[in-house]
Amino acid sequence: DQQVKQNSPSLSVQEGRISILNCDYTNSMFDYFLWYKKYPAEGPTFLISISSIKDKNEDGRFTVFLNKSAKHLSLHIVPSQPGDSAVYFCAATGDNFNKFYFGSGTKLNVKP
Amino acid sequence: DAGITQSPRYKITETGRQVTLMCHQTWSHSYMFWYRQDLGHGLRLIYYSAAADITDKGEVPDGYVVSRSKTENFPLTLESATRSQTSVYFCASSEDRGATDTQYFGPGTRLTVL
């Protein structure tokens, strides 16, 4: 049973607009969350993370929001650029874990 | 070159054959991981290693064997390949704690089992 879920397999957004990617998790013991970005034929690369002691973390155009009560996090990209077109994975872990649990990914397409 | 590399990048094999996928990192990271990526499943952990000679199972270890005699290398062996092991395999590494440290991924190996 997947403990981290990304229910939208794809998302299409116009350049300059906001992209919102969502992720849900089931294990309340998770306390650290990450987003990875993956281009075709490459390995995933780390994008941004958030600890459960925060509800928001911002890095340039990328902001991650965490709603612990809803077990939900989201990645906001503003403004979206064509170079952001990629597959985005969310992942969760914590001190009680020696590993990450990944979602199935959301393919973002930013149209020029 | 510094970083994490995987070889081969592409491999076609037949059912029942033994296949070894190689992973090499130059950072001396303690932790190394093997994932497989399949449509609808995202990345699933096969095995991981906290240090040389220390390995442990992930979510989907059946049919795979790993070893880590040197810190920088973490080969993954499919002892008798099956069609269900057709996938893209990613190796990753991270510093000390593993759990909350950023993982750095290799470029992947696309394996096809006929």
Side-chain angles (χ1 to χ4, degrees):
Chain A
D1 191 25
Q2 277 192 292
Q3 299 191 54
V4 178
K5 295 180 182 179
Q6 294 176 255
N7 292 317
S8 298
S10 64
L11 175 68
S12 188
V13 170
Q14 203 68 38
E15 181 179 6
R17 305 293 291 269
I18 184 171
S19 295
I20 300 177
L21 294 89
N22 294 304
C23 179
D24 297 296
Y25 61 96
T26 57
N27 195 325
S28 58
M29 298 299 290
F30 289 147
D31 56 14
Y32 194 72
F33 306 89
L34 308 91
W35 285 94
Y36 282 81
K37 177 179 180 179
K38 183 186 177 305
Y39 292 117
E42 295 183 11
T45 55
F46 171 74
L47 187 58
I48 192 169
S49 64
I50 187 166
S51 164
S52 60
I53 63 173
K54 295 184 175 182
D55 54 20
K56 176 183 173 181
N57 189 26
E58 192 171 353
D59 183 2
R61 296 185 297 112
F62 302 90
T63 303
V64 55
F65 296 91
L66 176 62
N67 182 334
K68 290 185 290 293
S69 60
K71 295 191 180 69
H72 176 83
L73 64 154
S74 61
L75 174 68
H76 292 211
I77 306 173
V78 183
S80 301
Q81 298 174 355
D84 296 329
S85 296
V87 176
Y88 290 79
F89 292 99
C90 68
T93 188
D95 284 345
N96 294 323
F97 303 91
N98 276 326
K99 50 199 173 189
F100 289 76
Y101 292 87
F102 282 82
S104 55
T106 296
K107 185 174 183 179
L108 173 66
N109 179 33
V110 180
K111 297 176 286 186
Chain B
D1 290 338
I4 183 164
T5 56
Q6 293 182 235
S7 62
R9 293 294 312 276
Y10 302 91
K11 177 74 177 178
I12 300 175
T13 191
E14 294 178 337
T15 301
R17 296 218 177 207
Q18 183 179 57
V19 178
T20 296
L21 309 184
M22 304 301 294
C23 179
H24 175 79
Q25 51 105 354
T26 60
W27 295 302
S28 298
H29 284 169
S30 295
Y31 282 79
M32 295 188 75
F33 307 82
W34 274 107
Y35 293 90
R36 59 178 288 174
Q37 184 194 5
D38 304 291
L39 273 176
H41 290 280
L43 293 165
R44 291 183 293 175
L45 183 66
I46 304 171
Y47 269 94
Y48 68 99
S49 168
D53 296 322
I54 301 174
T55 62
D56 206 350
K57 295 178 180 179
E59 299 173 71
V60 288
D62 293 343
Y64 302 96
V65 174
V66 293
S67 62
R68 192 154 176 220
S69 57
K70 293 184 177 181
T71 300
E72 61 267 29
N73 296 326
F74 191 38
L76 175 75
T77 298
L78 289 67
E79 293 190 301
S80 178
T82 65
R83 289 181 181 167
S84 65
Q85 292 177 309
T86 292
S87 186
V88 181
Y89 291 85
F90 289 100
C91 177
S93 71
S94 65
E95 292 181 344
D96 300 334
R97 291 185 60 212
T100 55
D101 281 344
T102 301
Q103 292 188 3
Y104 297 88
F105 284 82
T109 295
R110 182 175 292 276
L111 176 67
T112 301
V113 183
L114 301 176

